Amino acid sequence: MDYTISNRMSHLRGSAIREIFKYAADPAVISLAGGNPNPELFPGEALADIAAEVLRDQPVTALQYGITEGYTPLREAIRARLARVESIGTENDDVIVTSGGQQGIELATKCLINEGDTVIVEEPSFIGATNAFRSYGAHLAGVPVREDGIDLDELERVIAKNRNVKLIYTIPTFQNPMGVTMSVDKRRRLYQIALNNNLLILEDNPYGELTFDGVKVPTIKSMDTEGIVLYSGSFSKILAPGLRLGFMCAPRTIVQKMVVAKQISDVHTPMLTQLVATEYMKRYDLDALIVKMRQNYAHKCKTMLDAMDEFFPTDVTYTRPGGGLFIWCDLGHGLDTLTLSKQAIEQKVVYVPGNTFMVDMDRPTSALRLNYSTMSDEKIVEGIRRLGIVFSAALGQ
């Protein structure tokens, strides 16, 4: 039988990152491709004890349906932490618990974007978000990212030349895939540009807690006096991704529509994981766990950068992030890192080609994303050494 796929889905491609995982399953392959947190940092024993206790003492709450907005004690804990850590939250904001940060982006898109509307995205940007926008028929307009964040002069030009612009999507802190952080001045100006043009901002901040030096840049949402910023957060990078717990803090009117949209998607986020996360935050010091993560990732990032300085050709450029999980490399010289990835696989090392993160995914790019969070120091160094061989050969060096 011939199957006709909906227009909404027929043009979408699966994440190249997920495809690369097939190669990464080979134990001989060094994967510098994923975005997974280091599993050695998961508080597995504590979570196991809490889960057992919750199932024993609160089985009805843990196993029965819950309210779509999220488990009330968890929502209260999220509100309190946002206020304390990020200075986020006004009387006009509300919080919804989502099944990972990705669902928050998808629900916001469903509620705010009509087919043909323009969504402005950083270029490069996170494929999970860009595919969410594509799936609802949005027109994507890319704006280049510089070392200090999105190019705001180009942003204003893009706004002026596109019709039905509704939303600006940004990952301002330790951006995926580049690892760069938007300056405070740029954040203020971006907010003002959106306000002047009657646009909403979707601020995605899954990596903001993972600052190597402990110094945090104010979120755009913390500057929001007019109710134009939706803030997407997640427990995936600061607790454990398998819990599938994210949240959205946004104007109450928008959150109320997201609640209806979530009822269509999955009714509510699993109660068991919501209860486990709530109890963890009551009993343990989440901030202390995050400090351990910062120290671990700072060490791994330095290990990778030192290896790149040693093994990569001198004309290859790359970012030097102050946090997060990613380094962005550009080989230049018109090379296509998608094609080159096949040669890397032959060397038993994988990365994510840069075209994955572009508005036009068919356009060859000389850039690629590297991840340092999951591999051992030895594998990081060996993986970079192998890539150095591939890149040197491609550049004729």
Side-chain angles (χ1 to χ4, degrees):
M1 180 177 179
D2 292 331
Y3 298 98
T4 302
I5 304 301
S6 69
N7 293 337
R8 176 175 287 117
M9 293 300 299
S10 61
H11 65 291
L12 294 185
R13 302 182 195 173
S15 169
I17 302 164
R18 300 294 167 188
E19 292 298 314
I20 288 168
F21 280 170
K22 297 174 184 177
Y23 296 105
D26 181 347
V29 170
I30 297 174
S31 176
L32 306 178
N36 295 353
N38 185 352
E40 296 175 0
L41 299 171
F42 297 160
E45 187 173 332
L47 294 176
D49 291 343
I50 292 171
E53 183 179 318
V54 164
L55 286 169
R56 183 182 66 245
D57 297 343
Q58 303 181 66
V60 175
T61 304
L63 300 176
Q64 187 56 277
Y65 288 118
I67 63 173
T68 305
E69 291 87 340
Y71 181 52
T72 299
L74 179 58
R75 292 172 71 213
E76 291 173 350
I78 290 169
R79 284 196 192 95
R81 195 162 200 283
L82 284 176
R84 176 176 64 84
V85 176
E86 305 289 2
S87 300
I88 284 176
T90 71
E91 61 182 10
N92 296 316
D93 286 322
D94 204 353
V95 169
I96 179 173
V97 177
T98 58
S99 299
Q102 176 66 31
Q103 187 184 51
I105 295 169
E106 194 270 341
L107 293 177
T109 309
K110 182 184 292 186
C111 293
L112 297 171
I113 303 302
N114 291 318
E115 187 171 349
D117 285 346
T118 296
V119 175
I120 295 176
V121 299
E122 296 166 329
E123 192 165 34
S125 190
F126 170 49
I127 187 175
T130 54
N131 265 353
F133 304 141
R134 290 182 180 108
S135 73
Y136 285 94
H139 166 68
L140 299 185
V143 178
V145 178
R146 309 304 180 192
E147 290 185 1
D148 62 345
I150 191 171
D151 185 328
L152 294 179
D153 292 333
E154 182 61 21
L155 171 64
E156 292 189 300
R157 286 190 286 270
V158 168
I159 291 172
K161 71 181 183 181
N162 280 276
R163 300 177 59 187
N164 300 327
V165 180
K166 294 290 183 67
L167 182 71
I168 301 170
Y169 172 72
T170 178
I171 312 171
T173 307
F174 313 131
Q175 197 249 16
N176 180 8
M178 291 187 68
V180 301
T181 295
M182 191 184 301
S183 67
V184 176
D185 287 344
K186 275 197 168 183
R187 292 173 194 234
R188 293 194 184 103
R189 186 180 162 199
L190 172 61
Y191 180 82
Q192 194 60 49
I193 289 171
L195 191 61
N196 292 345
N197 289 276
N198 196 31
L199 302 178
L200 294 172
I201 296 172
L202 175 49
E203 179 180 13
D204 193 6
N205 193 30
Y207 314 105
E209 297 265 28
L210 303 179
T211 168
F212 297 157
D213 60 7
V215 178
K216 301 183 73 175
V217 182
T219 62
I220 302 170
K221 181 62 177 172
S222 70
M223 307 171 185
D224 185 19
T225 59
E226 302 299 324
I228 65 169
V229 181
L230 293 75
Y231 180 90
S232 176
S234 173
F235 288 96
S236 291
K237 304 302 188 291
I238 61 172
L239 189 55
L243 296 175
R244 301 314 301 135
L245 289 175
F247 53 89
M248 182 75 76
C249 178
R252 183 168 289 104
T253 301
I254 295 175
V255 170
Q256 288 171 347
K257 283 299 181 184
M258 291 179 67
V259 169
V260 177
K262 184 171 170 62
Q263 289 167 353
I264 300 167
S265 296
D266 64 357
V267 184
H268 65 83
T269 299
M271 289 299 296
L272 176 59
T273 56
Q274 291 191 72
L275 265 69
V276 167
T278 304
E279 290 300 317
Y280 183 88
M281 287 192 285
K282 284 181 182 178
R283 304 179 191 187
Y284 296 92
D285 188 344
L286 180 59
D287 292 336
L289 176 61
I290 292 170
V291 168
K292 287 177 59 178
M293 292 178 174
R294 291 171 177 171
Q295 294 169 344
N296 183 269
Y297 296 145
H299 170 77
K300 287 180 176 293
C301 182
K302 183 178 186 303
T303 299
M304 179 171 280
L305 287 171
D306 287 348
M308 292 164 73
D309 290 343
E310 179 178 358
F311 294 115
F312 277 13
T314 56
D315 50 353
V316 173
T317 61
Y318 36 90
T319 57
R320 294 182 178 272
L325 304 180
F326 306 114
I327 296 172
W328 183 251
C329 301
D330 196 333
L331 307 183
H333 301 279
L335 293 176
D336 177 8
T337 54
L338 176 60
T339 300
L340 203 58
S341 66
K342 298 177 177 63
Q343 297 174 35
I345 290 169
E346 292 175 0
Q347 294 291 326
K348 299 292 186 180
V349 61
V350 291
Y351 60 78
V352 185
N355 69 297
T356 301
F357 308 100
M358 301 301 182
V359 171
D360 180 1
M361 296 172 66
D362 292 323
R363 186 183 70 195
T365 176
S366 58
L368 63 134
R369 191 191 76 177
L370 296 173
N371 166 262
Y372 45 77
S373 59
T374 59
M375 293 289 103
S376 67
D377 290 3
E378 293 75 18
K379 286 189 174 182
I380 289 172
V381 173
E382 176 59 18
I384 294 300
R385 187 191 70 80
R386 295 178 191 180
L387 285 182
I389 295 171
V390 174
F391 296 162
S392 295
L395 292 167
Q397 298 182 15

